[in-house]
Amino acid sequence: MSKKFIISWFRTEAGLLFFTTFVIIILVFTDIFGLAKNSCATVYADETNPIVIVIDPGHGGDNLGGQYEDYTEKEITLITAMAMKAELEKYEGITVYLTRTGDEELSLQERCDFAASVNADFLFCLHYNMSANHTLFGAETWISAFGEQYSKGYTFASIEIGLLQEMGMYSRGIKTRLNEDGVDYYGIIRHSTEYGMPCVLIEHCHLDQENDQPFYDHKDKLEAFGRLDAEAVARYYGLRSPSLGKDYSGYQNISVNVPSQEMKPDSTEQDV
């Protein structure tokens, strides 16, 4: 086939149609590849392949966590976690585990090892906060500073923080923290990242601050935090619950690109 014939054919209607179609296919595949490379899409629930969630009630055993007045963190994180599990199990297409169901003491590595052993899609670590001078208040979330774990963590945390604000909590933000070695500071997040498993550490409120006390000063309120956490998961994964009359299958998550380098904490001076 001569070069002259090929050029003449491309000038025909059939040739132009072929060339246009070819260019469109190339552009579409280039765009899809770019999305796969630069962003981290949420995996949605499928009844034949359920989402696996692991909930980690912080502390336990001799590790009491924060203590303020009549409240001990290891006890109230378990109340919140059990409420979260019970609520999530009302949704379709999801399997839920707890790292502990009683007053057991587990290392951070053991908690992550368990989550990995059940092929968890996400690990949620539940906590309540305190500050050195008892002056801070509000909720905050901690996520990995790296790769897909950052992207997925930030996407979920944006839902969680939004719901906590709707509840009336002050938002202290979505945060990362690195240690001296330049890796994630919090062990539960660091070990999860080693497994390639996204993890969000949720600090629901401060136990030692009067602004936050009305949000946790009764068991029903601690359980309400758990139900809120469950709703955040349901929205993130687009879950349905006929028994609750809720359908988040059309919920649109924010788009968070996978960073090419670590997302360091903001070190600029505070305005206020």
Side-chain angles (χ1 to χ4, degrees), residues 202-251:
I202 304 168
E203 296 277 10
H204 292 91
C205 67
H206 285 70
L207 300 177
D208 57 344
Q209 232 291 329
E210 61 182 9
N211 287 290
D212 286 359
Q213 194 165 13
F215 292 95
Y216 75 82
D217 60 1
H218 192 279
K219 183 182 178 183
D220 288 347
K221 297 179 181 180
L222 297 172
E223 292 174 338
F225 275 124
R227 290 191 294 272
L228 180 147
D229 298 340
E231 181 170 336
V233 174
R235 292 188 183 207
Y236 177 79
Y237 282 113
L239 303 180
R240 299 176 60 251
S241 173
S243 66
L244 294 174
K246 295 182 178 181
D247 184 352
Y248 296 114
S249 56
Y251 188 83

Side-chain angles (χ1 to χ4, degrees), residues 21-36:
T21 304
F22 178 79
V23 170
I24 291 172
I25 291 172
I26 292 298
L27 290 174
V28 168
F29 272 91
T30 300
D31 187 51
I32 290 173
F33 179 77
L35 286 172

Side-chain angles (χ1 to χ4, degrees), residues 149-165:
Q149 284 66 51
Y150 172 84
S151 177
K152 292 178 179 178
Y154 198 102
T155 302
F156 170 80
S158 67
I159 303 171
E160 174 77 19
I161 285 293
L163 290 174
L164 287 166
Q165 286 180 295

Side-chain angles (χ1 to χ4, degrees), residues 32 84 99 102 132 138 191 272:
I32 290 173
M84 180 181 179
T99 56
H191 297 318
V272 179

